[in-house]
C-alpha cells in the first residue's frame, strides 16, 4: 500500500481527461444495469430494439443502482492510486445490477463464470441471467463475486463491514448504506461500532450513506432533515462526514473524487499514527446525495420518475399494452452511447478497462470476500484438561458454563497471536459465567474509560460491551465470512432478537455450499445460557426456548442443535463446534449448579453418538422395557432422573429404559437430516410400541415434529408451555408441568399393569403437589420436604 499524501485542495484531483473516462466507465456500468433489468437479446443495440428483445417478465430495482455504480468507479480509482486492500459491501441490497455489472466490467465475473465472456455473447448471458429462471437474483447474493453480504434483507451491512474489519489491519471496507436501510434498528445502532475499532490492530470501515431520498413509496427520514441536523447527527455518532451533493455528472465526479481522497487519506493517517490525534479517532464517512434513478427517464406517461419513488423498481413497463414504452426504453439505453464504450466485439474499451484495479485488488476478487480461502484451523487446547471428575453419576455438582469458560479462555490464549478468534455477546459474557476468558484478554473498547471499568482495553478478543444482539450477530457474521472463528453467547430468550439475521446467514451457507468457487467458512456457534429453566427471578419475560424451533426449519445440511446434559458433555460438544465448518451450531447450556452425570470418557462417547441409553440409570437390561423415559437438556435430564429414582424406589418391578439426547437432530429420520437415526436404530433405542415419556428443554411440539415419521407414535412430551412468573425454581417447573412428580404420574397413567400400587403412588404425588402449591402461595418458597427424593445412582 502506498503512503498517503496530504491533499493540496487548490490542486484538482481529477484532470478533465480523467473526468471524461470516469464518466464513460459510469455510463458503461449504468448501461449494463439497465440491460440486466430489461434485455433478453440484442445486448449492444446493434439493431432497433424489439419487444422480443425484452424479457417477458421484467423484475429488478433501478433506483439505487446508478448511485452505486457512481460509488464503485470512484472506489476503483482510489484503490489504484494507493494500492488499497478494499472491498465493497452493498447495503441497498436490491442494487444487484450495479454490483454484478461492475464485477463484470472489472473481469471478476468472467473469472468465476467463464461462460459469461467479455464479448457480445457474454453480455447477452449477463443480461439474460438477471432475475430470470435458473439465473441470479435481483439483489446482491452469494452468487456475486466480491460479496459477503446478502442483500435480500436490509439493516446489516455496516455490522458486517465492522466484523470484516476486526483483526484485519490494512483492510478498508467500503460500506454503502441506503437511506431506507438506515431507518432499520440494526443499522441505526451500527453507527456506534466505531467505538470498538482499533486503528492499529483492526482495519477500517468507510461508510458511504447514499441519500437518494426515497424508499419503495415513501421519502426517507435522513433525506428530509436539514443539512445541519444531518451533519450534527453523524458528528454526534463520532463520525466526520464529507458531503457530496448534486445531480450534474461532471461536477459530481469532481466532488466525489475529492471526498473519497480526503476520506482515504485520513484513514491512512489514522492507521499510521501520523494524524496527531489523541484518544479515539473520528473516522471519516461520505454522505452522497444524488437523485433516485439518476440518469433514468425523467418522466413516464407524464409522471415524474427520476428523483422520485417511481424509479425505485422498474421505471418503464415494456409490453404490448404500452407500445410507446419500448421506444422510450431504447432511447434511455442509447443515451449512454454504448458504441463509445464497447468495441465491435462487445468488450469494454481498453482505455476504460484500465481504470479498474487488477488481480486481487479488484473488489470482486478480494480474497477477504471468499473468507474460506483465508481460513486456518484454530489451535485447539485439550478440552479434557477441564474435565469435571465424576466418580458416580450425580455424585458431584458443577456449573456447566463456568467449566466451559476456562476452555474458551484457553482457546483465546492459544490463538491470540493468530488474531482469528473472538467472543461476542451483548454484555452477558460474565453473566453467562464465561468470565475466565478475561484472565487472558480484555473487552475491546475505544471510547472513554472510567476508574471502575472492568476489563476494558483498546485491544481485546471479547466484543461484548454493546447491548445489541444485532451488532454481535452482524459483527460475528462479518468476522466469519472473512475467514475467522468466533462464538456468540447470549441469554436464550433474547437470541430471538436475531431470528431474521440467523435466517439470512443460514440461507447464505446453504447457497454458498452449492457454489464450487465459494470456500467453506467457520461455523457460527451460539452458546445459549441463562435458559428457560433458570429464570425464576426474571420471570416470564426471560423464558422462551423458541429459537430451537426456528433453527430446525432451515436446511438440514446447515443447522445443528445440541443440548448437553452436563459440563463434560458441553466441553466435548463445544470442541467439536469450534472445529466444524459451514454450519450454524446452537448449544444450550446452564450456568446454575447441577448434578454431573458422565465422566469425560463417557461424555465423549455419548456426544459422538449424539444419543444413547444410559444403562446406569436403567433397569431393563435383558428385558423389553415397560416404558422408555427420554430427556434432552440439563434441567429436563435432572428432573427425569429424579422421577426415575422415585419409580425405581417405589415400583421396582417396573422396567425402565433411560435415553438421553444430546444431538437433537438424531431424532429426525436419516432421510431428512445427515445426523438422523435410521428407523432400525431409532426403534432399537425407543422400541416400536412402548410408551415414551420425553422430558424436553423447549416447546413440546418440536419433538413431535422431529419424530413424526417414526413408527412408534406412543410419544408423550413434556416441555415448556408458556407458564411462568417471579417465583421459586421448583414452582416454575410445576407451572410448566415438567417436574418430577408429573413425570412419574405420566408413567403410571401409561402402564396400567402397575394396578393399585401405581394408583396409590399417584395419589401420594398429587397430594404433595397440592400441598406444595398451597405452601408456595403462602410463603413464596419451596417446601424443604418436597425435595427429599433426590437422584441416587445406587438405588
Amino acid at each position: 500500500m502506498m503512503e498517503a499524501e496530504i491533499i493540496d485542495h487548490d490542486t484538482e484531483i481529477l484532470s478533465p481527461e480523467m473526468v471524461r473516462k470516469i464518466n464513460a466507465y459510469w455510463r458503461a456500468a449504468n448501461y449494463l444495469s439497465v440491460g440486466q433489468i430489461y434485455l433478453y437479446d440484442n445486448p449492444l443495440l446493434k439493431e432497433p430494439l424489439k419487444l422480443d428483445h425484452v424479457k417477458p417478465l421484467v423484475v429488478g430495482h433501478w433506483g439505487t443502482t446508478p448511485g452505486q455504480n457512481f460509488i464503485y468507479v470512484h472506489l476503483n480509482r482510489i484503490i489504484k492510486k494507493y494500492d488499497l486492500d478494499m472491498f465493497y459491501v452493498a447495503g441497498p441490497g436490491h442494487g444487484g445490477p450495479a454490483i454484478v455489472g461492475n464485477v463484470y466490467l472489472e473481469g471478476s465475473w468472467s473469472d468465476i463464470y467463464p461462460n459469461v465472456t467479455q464479448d457480445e455473447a457474454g453480455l447477452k448471458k449477463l443480461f439474460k441471467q438477471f432475475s430470470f429462471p435458473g439465473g441470479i437474483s435481483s439483489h446482491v447474493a452469494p452468487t456475486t463475486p466480491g460479496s459477503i453480504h446478502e442483500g435480500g434483507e436490509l439493516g446489516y451491512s455496516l455490522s458486517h463491514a465492522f466484523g470484516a474489519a476486526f483483526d484485519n489491519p490494512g483492510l478498508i471496507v467500503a460500506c454503502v448504506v441506503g437511506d431506507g436501510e438506515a431507518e432499520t434498528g440494526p443499522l441505526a445502532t451500527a453507527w456506534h461500532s466505531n467505538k470498538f475499532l482499533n486503528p492499529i490492530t483492526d482495519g477500517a470501515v468507510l461508510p458511504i450513506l447514499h441519500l437518494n431520498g426515497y424508499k419503495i413509496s415513501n421519502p426517507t427520514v435522513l433525506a428530509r432533515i436539514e443539512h445541519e441536523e444531518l451533519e450534527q447527527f453523524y458528528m454526534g455518532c463520532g463520525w466526520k462526514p464529507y458531503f457530496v451533493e448534486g445531480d450534474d455528472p461532471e461536477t459530481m465526479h469532481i466532488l466525489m473524487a475529492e471526498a473519497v481522497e480526503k476520506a482515504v487519506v485520513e484513514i491512512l493517517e489514522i492507521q499510521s499514527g501520523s494524524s496527531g490525534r489523541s484518544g479515539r479517532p473520528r473516522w471519516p464517512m461520505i454522505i452522497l446525495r444524488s437523485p433516485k434513478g439518476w440518469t433514468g427517464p425523467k418522466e413516464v406517461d407524464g409522471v415524474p420518475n427520476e428523483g422520485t419513488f417511481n424509479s425505485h423498481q422498474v421505471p418503464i413497463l415494456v409490453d404490448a399494452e404500452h407500445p410507446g414504452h419500448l421506444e422510450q426504453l431504447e432511447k434511455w439505453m442509447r443515451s449512454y452511447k454504448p458504441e463509445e464504450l464497447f468495441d465491435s466485439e462487445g468488450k469494454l474499451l481498453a482505455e476504460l478497462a484500465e481504470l479498474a484495479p487488477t488481480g486481487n485488488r479488484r473488489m470482486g476478487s478480494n480474497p477477504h470476500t471468499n473468507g474460506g480461502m483465508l481460513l486456518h484451523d484454530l489451535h485447539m487446547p485439550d478440552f479434557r484438561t477441564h474435565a469435571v471428575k465424576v466418580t458416580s453419576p450425580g455424585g458431584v455438582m458443577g456449573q456447566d458454563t463456568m467449566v466451559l469458560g476456562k476452555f474458551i479462555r484457553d482457546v483465546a490464549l492459544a490463538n491470540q497471536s493468530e488474531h482469528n478468534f473472538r467472543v461476542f455477546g451483548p454484555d452477558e459474557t460474565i453473566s453467562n459465567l464465561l468470565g475466565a476468558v478475561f484472565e487472558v484478554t480484555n473487552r475491546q473498547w475505544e471510547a472513554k474509560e472510567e476508574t471502575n471499568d472492568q476489563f476494558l482495553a483498546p485491544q481485546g478478543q471479547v466484543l461484548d460491551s454493546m447491548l445489541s444482539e444485532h451488532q454481535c450477530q452482524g459483527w460475528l457474521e462479518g468476522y466469519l465470512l472473512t475467514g475467522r472463528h468466533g462464538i456468540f453467547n447470549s441469554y436464550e430468550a433474547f437470541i430471538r432478537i436475531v431470528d431474521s439475521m440467523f435466517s439470512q446467514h443460514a440461507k447464505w451457507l446453504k447457497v454458498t455450499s452449492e457454489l464450487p468457487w465459494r470456500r467453506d467458512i467457520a461455523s457460527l456457534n451460539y452458546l445459549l445460557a441463562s435458559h428457560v429453566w433458570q429464570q425464576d427471578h426474571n420471570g416470564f419475560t426471560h423464558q422462551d426456548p423458541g429459537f430451537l424451533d426456528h433453527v430446525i426449519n432451515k436446511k438440514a445440511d446447515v443447522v445443528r442443535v445440541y443440548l448437553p446434559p452436563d459440563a463434560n458433555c458441553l466441553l466435548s460438544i463445544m470442541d467439536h463446534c469450534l472445529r466444524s465448518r459451514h454450519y450454524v451450531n446452537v448449544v444450550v447450556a446452564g450456568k446454575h449448579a447441577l448434578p454431573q452425570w458422565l465422566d469425560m470418557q463417557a461424555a465423549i462417547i455419548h456426544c459422538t453418538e449424539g444419543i444413547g441409553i444410559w444403562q446406569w440409570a436403567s433397569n431393563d437390561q435383558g428385558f423389553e422395557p415397560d416404558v422408555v423415559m427420554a430427556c434432552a437438556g440439563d434441567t429436563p435430564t435432572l428432573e427425569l432422573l429424579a422421577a426415575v429414582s422415585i419409580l425405581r424406589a417405589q415400583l421396582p418391578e417396573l422396567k425402565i429404559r433411560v435415553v438421553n439426547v444430546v444431538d437433537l437432530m438424531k431424532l429426525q429420520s436419516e432421510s431428512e437430516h445427515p445426523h438422523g437415526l435410521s428407523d432400525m436404530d431409532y426403534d432399537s433405542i425407543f422400541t416400536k410400541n412402548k410408551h415414551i415419556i420425553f422430558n424436553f428443554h423447549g416447546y413440546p411440539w418440536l419433538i413431535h415434529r422431529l419424530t413424526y415419521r417414526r413408527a412408534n407414535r406412543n410419544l408423550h412430551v413434556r416441555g415448556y408451555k408458556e407458564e411462568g412468573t417471579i417465583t421459586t425454581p421448583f414452582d416454575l417447573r410445576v407451572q410448566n408441568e415438567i417436574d418430577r412428580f408429573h413425570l412419574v404420574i405420566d408413567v403410571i397413567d401409561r402402564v396400567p399393569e402397575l394396578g393399585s400400587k401405581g394408583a396409590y403412588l399417584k395419589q401420594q404425588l398429587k397430594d404433595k403437589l397440592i400441598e406444595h402449591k398451597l405452601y408456595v402461595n403462602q410463603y413464596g418458597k419451596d417446601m424443604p420436604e418436597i425435595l427429599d427424593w433426590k437422584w441416587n445412582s445406587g438405588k
Side-chain angles (χ1 to χ4, degrees), residues 70 115 139 167 194 200 279 499 562 581 593 619 645 652 664 721:
F70 181 81
N115 63 314
H139 52 79
D167 288 328
N194 54 13
I200 306 302
D499 273 5
Y562 301 101
R581 294 285 184 275
N619 67 345
S645 71
L664 197 60
K721 292 186 178 179

Side-chain angles (χ1 to χ4, degrees), residues 778-789:
Q778 182 175 358
Y779 298 106
K781 61 180 181 179
D782 291 337
M783 292 178 62
E785 60 267 28
I786 205 80
L787 301 177
D788 284 349
W789 276 324

Side-chain angles (χ1 to χ4, degrees), residues 711-729:
N712 190 345
R713 299 301 180 91
N714 296 313
L715 177 64
H716 318 282
V717 186
R718 289 193 172 274
Y720 182 71
K721 292 186 178 179
E722 288 295 320
E723 295 290 346
T725 183
I726 306 301
T727 183
T728 60

Side-chain angles (χ1 to χ4, degrees), residues 89 148-150 155-166 173 186-187 189-190 193 205 424-426 463 466 468-482 484 487-488 495 497-502 504-505 524 526:
V89 173
I148 67 164
H149 177 72
E150 170 62 66
Y156 316 133
S157 59
L158 199 54
S159 305
H160 286 159
F162 274 93
F166 290 131
V173 186
L187 199 291
T189 308
S193 295
V205 176
F424 299 80
L463 282 164
M466 196 172 202
S468 170
E469 287 83 359
H470 286 127
Q471 298 319 306
C472 296
Q473 175 82 17
W475 289 345
L476 176 55
E477 288 178 2
Y479 200 69
L480 298 176
L481 288 162
T482 48
R484 282 76 64 75
I487 183 173
F488 180 4
I495 200 64
I497 293 170
V498 301
D499 273 5
S500 188
M501 296 184 75
F502 151 76
Q504 294 298 316
H505 187 74
L524 196 163
Y526 292 100

Side-chain angles (χ1 to χ4, degrees), residues 48-60:
L49 194 63
K50 301 176 183 178
L51 201 57
D52 289 346
H53 299 153
V54 180
K55 295 175 183 177
L57 177 64
V58 178
V59 181

Side-chain angles (χ1 to χ4, degrees), residues 22-39 43 45 61-73 95-102 105 123 126-127 210 247 249 253 290-291 293-297 306 315 329 332-338 341-342 348:
I22 285 179
N23 192 62
Y25 197 103
W26 180 46
R27 283 162 39 213
N30 287 337
Y31 179 82
L32 294 190
S33 299
V34 181
Q36 288 177 76
I37 294 173
Y38 283 97
L39 295 192
L45 300 181
H61 292 73
W62 166 247
T64 181
T65 295
Q68 292 204 63
N69 286 331
F70 181 81
I71 294 167
Y72 205 102
V73 66
I99 311 307
V100 172
N102 276 284
L105 287 175
L123 280 176
L126 184 80
F127 289 1
H210 186 202
D247 60 3
H253 284 305
S290 64
W294 196 11
T295 73
E306 184 191 44
L329 172 62
W332 174 19
M333 294 193 70
R334 290 192 184 280
S335 72
Y336 297 116
K337 301 180 180 179
L341 308 174
F342 302 94
L348 185 69

Side-chain angles (χ1 to χ4, degrees), residues 664-712:
L664 197 60
M665 312 319 291
K666 288 288 182 181
L667 298 176
Q668 275 196 304
S669 169
E670 64 179 346
S671 65
E672 295 181 314
H673 196 282
H675 286 196
L677 291 175
S678 68
D679 287 339
M680 181 182 297
D681 288 341
Y682 184 90
D683 292 342
S684 72
I685 293 173
F686 290 102
T687 77
K688 288 187 176 182
N689 54 13
K690 298 298 180 180
H691 287 282
I692 306 166
I693 310 297
F694 202 120
N695 209 27
F696 179 51
H697 173 85
Y699 293 112
W701 43 86
L702 178 55
I703 300 301
H704 289 286
R705 288 176 58 195
L706 293 172
T707 59
Y708 79 99
R709 288 184 181 271
R710 302 300 188 179
N712 190 345

Side-chain angles (χ1 to χ4, degrees), residues 134-145:
I136 63 173
S137 62
S138 66
H139 52 79
V140 180
T143 52
T144 310

